[in-house]
Amino acid sequence: MSDATTSLPSNTSAGQTIRPEEAAHFGKLAKDWWDPKGSSAMLHKLNPVRLKFLREAIDLHWTGDVRDARPLAGKSALDVGCGAGLLCEPLARLGADVTGVDAAPENVAAAAIHAGRSGLDIRYMAGELAGHDIGTFDLVTAMEVIEHVADKQAFAAQLAARLAEGGLMVLSTPNRTVRSRTLMIGAAESFGLIPKGTHEWSDFVTPDELSEILAYTGLTMGEPKGIAFSPMKGLHLSDDLSLNYIVTARAA
């Protein structure tokens, strides 16, 4: 984290978290979301890494059996910024009663179609999270989302409000470092590995900033784990936080 800047990204929307231009950008990608060689190819590579962390966090939080194929049976899960359901479907297969919320109606439509074809019963909803009266959830996830919202503090508060007592939250996001600007924007977007215009580096959040944001909502952030990249390993969990990281959060 030594090359991270220290100023907190500004929030200017007075509680409105969706940026219409961001929703439109991702909505245009909806038809290709499930194509592992399409515009969301990087997400398909990232998803198994996130799921590895998530599974361990689930087992540790609920003292589950690592051999249990459905550790979320009897539990509810909410994935915010769900896109076309890349994380929702594995959560459902782990046994959870899953709800996915996304800013782009095109994404939730694609998600619902794919879930139906896969024989999965997942509830999808479009729009602002705060606008849905959906109760609370045992597991709340928001992967690669907080860097895209207009008001990060309001977004974190919305997530916290949806977390049931004794629940677990998991978030992932790029770190705001020289390395992330060089690789994620300078290289990945320039060479088409990530759709151009996906990220604004100044909106990236450092682990210290995210810890502070979550603390304001009454949540304590766990030790962050890096999501690093190397030519030999590809994307993988690491102690290197300079590119991207994933964390748990629980009620303080």
Side-chain angles (χ1 to χ4, degrees):
M1 288 193 296
S2 59
D3 57 351
T5 58
T6 56
S7 60
L8 190 67
S10 61
N11 299 322
T12 59
S13 64
Q16 179 73 21
T17 69
I18 291 176
R19 288 173 171 154
E21 68 277 12
E22 294 270 8
H25 171 80
F26 287 106
K28 290 177 182 177
L29 306 177
K31 62 182 176 61
D32 295 325
W33 209 287
W34 280 97
D35 181 358
K37 296 182 179 180
S39 58
S40 296
M42 191 61 69
L43 284 178
H44 285 267
K45 293 179 173 65
L46 181 59
N47 215 34
V49 183
R50 301 187 301 198
L51 283 166
K52 181 178 180 180
F53 178 92
L54 188 55
R55 176 59 201 256
E56 182 176 347
I58 289 167
D59 289 337
L60 288 173
H61 186 72
W62 282 293
T63 62
D65 184 346
V66 296
R67 298 165 298 181
D68 188 352
R70 293 171 58 83
L72 291 176
K75 293 182 172 59
S76 56
L78 170 68
D79 185 34
V80 182
C82 65
L86 257 64
L87 185 62
C88 288
E89 293 199 9
L91 292 177
R93 291 190 174 97
L94 290 174
D97 178 11
V98 180
T99 296
V101 177
D102 195 86
E106 300 94 332
N107 286 341
V108 297
I113 290 171
H114 195 276
R117 290 173 178 170
S118 302
L120 297 171
D121 184 14
I122 299 173
R123 176 175 61 168
Y124 287 107
M125 312 174 90
E128 191 81 37
L129 178 59
H132 296 294
D133 184 13
I134 52 177
T136 59
F137 298 80
D138 299 303
L139 175 66
V140 175
T141 59
M143 306 295 198
E144 316 301 312
V145 179
I146 197 167
E147 69 271 21
H148 296 292
V149 304
D151 190 324
K152 292 169 175 52
Q153 194 62 67
F155 180 69
Q158 290 180 20
L159 294 178
R162 295 288 177 251
L163 189 63
E165 184 177 354
L168 173 68
M169 186 182 297
V170 180
L171 306 95
S172 66
T173 190
N175 197 353
R176 196 173 70 257
T177 65
V178 172
R179 182 173 175 80
S180 69
R181 179 164 55 184
T182 301
L183 292 183
M184 295 187 67
I185 298 175
E189 291 196 14
S190 295
F191 288 102
L193 299 175
I194 298 173
K196 190 174 289 292
T198 294
H199 295 115
E200 177 61 49
W201 181 79
S202 61
D203 271 323
F204 288 4
V205 182
T206 70
D208 287 344
E209 291 167 352
L210 183 57
S211 179
E212 181 180 344
I213 289 169
L214 292 171
Y216 276 118
T217 72
L219 298 177
T220 298
M221 191 175 92
E223 189 70 24
K225 191 71 175 177
I227 300 177
F229 174 82
S230 73
M232 294 295 292
K233 294 183 178 180
L235 292 169
H236 61 282
L237 293 175
S238 167
D239 292 330
D240 180 2
L241 307 179
S242 64
L243 186 63
N244 200 306
Y245 62 97
I246 187 166
V247 298
T248 59
R250 299 170 175 83

